[in-house]
Amino acid sequence: MKADRTLLQILKAVNYSQTISEVADKLYLSQPYISNLLKKTEVTYQARLITRTKPIKLTAAGQAMINGLQAIISEEDRLVTAIDSLATAERPPLTIAVTDPFMSSQVTRLASVYAEANRRPKLEVRLLADNADPEELRHLDIVIGRKLLESDFMSLDLPVRQLYFFLSSNCLGYQPHQLYQPYSSAIFKSLNQTKYVGLADHSSFQRYVEMSFQKANLSLTTHMLVPTIADALRAVTTTSESTTITTLATAKQVFPKLDFNLIPIPSNFIALDTTINVRRGSNSAVKDLVDFLQGELIAAQKCEPVRNS
């Protein structure tokens, strides 16, 4: 109880105070409050806890009260910890589904940071297909990707990201002393006949990319499909004359030495809008996580180059 904890602090402070006024000053309490609490306790137990002469001192009953209160409070703390642990074990995990293939590694990293900072042991991040069935979304708290039209979700927009063609060091045209190769029609034409590493389980995005290739008269042949963008980037480094589409954030995570080139893709070629979809009526824990994710993703986007038109 709060009164027990306050009384314990008062009695402990007596050991290094001359007067009750000093105790009040040290604990930021009023003198009348301290006097009333001491008097009430002494009446209840029919024992004097401190001497009122200067300097004030604990009586034997006062010291016994300290020992007893400390034992009670320690046991109360152990009980609260035990109950909290049981409640945490029974609490369902907060679930984040990512349907945007360029966000999975970023969201996973942010989720781990959040879980550590907030001591949230149950946080689940799933990578879903971009054409996930509504039934799959029923028990999810947060979905990051395309805007959901389901009425039980509300959507928060994220900044549009710059997408790039990725060139590894084993590709012709790789420039070892620069990160970016500026966009030009000549560079795009040089990608003709290049092998393209695409994404499995993202059929909608794959169709969009292949249609964009055709509209731009690019003859990229889909060489293989892999689960994630990180897998695609690694596959490109071991496949001659190949490329994939990525974001700067993902490429930097996979290859922190920045030993690759990025060719910016104009927004009129491929543009990918992403939203954070959160279930309506979510509890405060979900809302707090959404606020964290949105803030971090917006801040990260501000550090990246401006999109090309």
Side-chain angles (χ1 to χ4, degrees), residues 117-129:
N118 293 274
R119 297 185 178 180
R120 180 84 196 187
K122 285 193 172 183
L123 200 58
E124 182 179 327
V125 181
R126 304 178 189 173
L127 183 60
L128 289 186

Side-chain angles (χ1 to χ4, degrees), residues 69-290:
L69 287 174
Q70 190 65 67
I72 290 170
I73 290 169
S74 296
E75 190 60 34
E76 184 181 83
D77 288 342
R78 281 194 290 271
L79 177 61
V80 169
T81 300
I83 291 175
D84 186 59
S85 296
L86 290 172
T88 299
E90 294 171 359
R91 187 186 305 155
L94 294 185
T95 52
I96 309 170
V98 185
T99 62
D100 183 323
F102 301 101
M103 300 292 286
S104 60
S105 58
Q106 223 176 341
V107 171
T108 299
R109 181 184 64 80
L110 290 175
S112 65
V113 170
Y114 181 86
E116 180 67 20
N118 293 274
R119 297 185 178 180
R120 180 84 196 187
K122 285 193 172 183
L123 200 58
E124 182 179 327
V125 181
R126 304 178 189 173
L127 183 60
L128 289 186
D130 57 8
N131 59 349
D133 188 277
E135 187 65 27
E136 294 183 77
L137 309 175
R138 178 168 294 179
H139 303 294
L140 300 173
D141 296 302
I142 302 167
V143 181
I144 299 178
R146 64 178 174 83
K147 185 174 183 177
L148 297 180
L149 301 179
E150 283 75 8
S151 60
D152 52 341
F153 279 93
M154 59 180 291
S155 300
L156 306 171
D157 291 333
L158 292 173
V160 178
R161 286 148 301 144
Q162 174 69 62
L163 299 180
Y164 301 89
F165 278 119
F166 175 88
L167 295 183
S168 73
S169 55
N170 68 353
C171 287
L172 290 176
Y174 168 73
Q175 302 296 324
H177 302 299
Q178 63 188 62
L179 178 60
Y180 300 103
Q181 289 197 31
Y183 165 75
S184 70
S185 56
I187 284 184
F188 260 46
K189 286 180 181 178
S190 72
L191 292 172
N192 272 322
Q193 309 306 320
T194 299
K195 302 166 190 168
Y196 177 73
V197 179
L199 297 172
D201 296 325
H202 287 83
S203 55
S204 298
F205 178 72
Q206 276 301 116
R207 284 195 299 272
Y208 175 43
V209 168
E210 289 167 4
M211 287 172 58
S212 299
F213 288 166
Q214 292 174 8
K215 287 164 83 175
N217 295 316
L218 284 177
S219 301
L220 272 72
T221 303
T222 300
H223 174 67
M224 64 186 299
L225 299 176
V226 295
T228 69
I229 292 293
D231 294 322
L233 293 172
R234 295 187 185 97
V236 167
T237 63
T238 56
T239 304
S240 61
E241 299 310 308
S242 62
T243 189
T244 191
I245 294 174
T246 188
T247 59
L248 172 62
T250 304
K252 284 169 66 176
Q253 280 190 336
V254 180
F255 300 108
K257 293 182 180 180
L258 305 183
D259 48 346
F260 54 80
N261 287 170
L262 298 176
I263 302 172
I265 301 174
S267 58
N268 59 2
F269 177 59
I270 293 180
L272 196 63
D273 295 329
T274 299
T275 60
I276 298 179
N277 302 277
V278 57
R279 189 173 296 284
R280 296 183 189 277
S282 295
N283 60 36
S284 59
V286 174
K287 291 176 181 176
D288 185 62
L289 175 56
V290 167

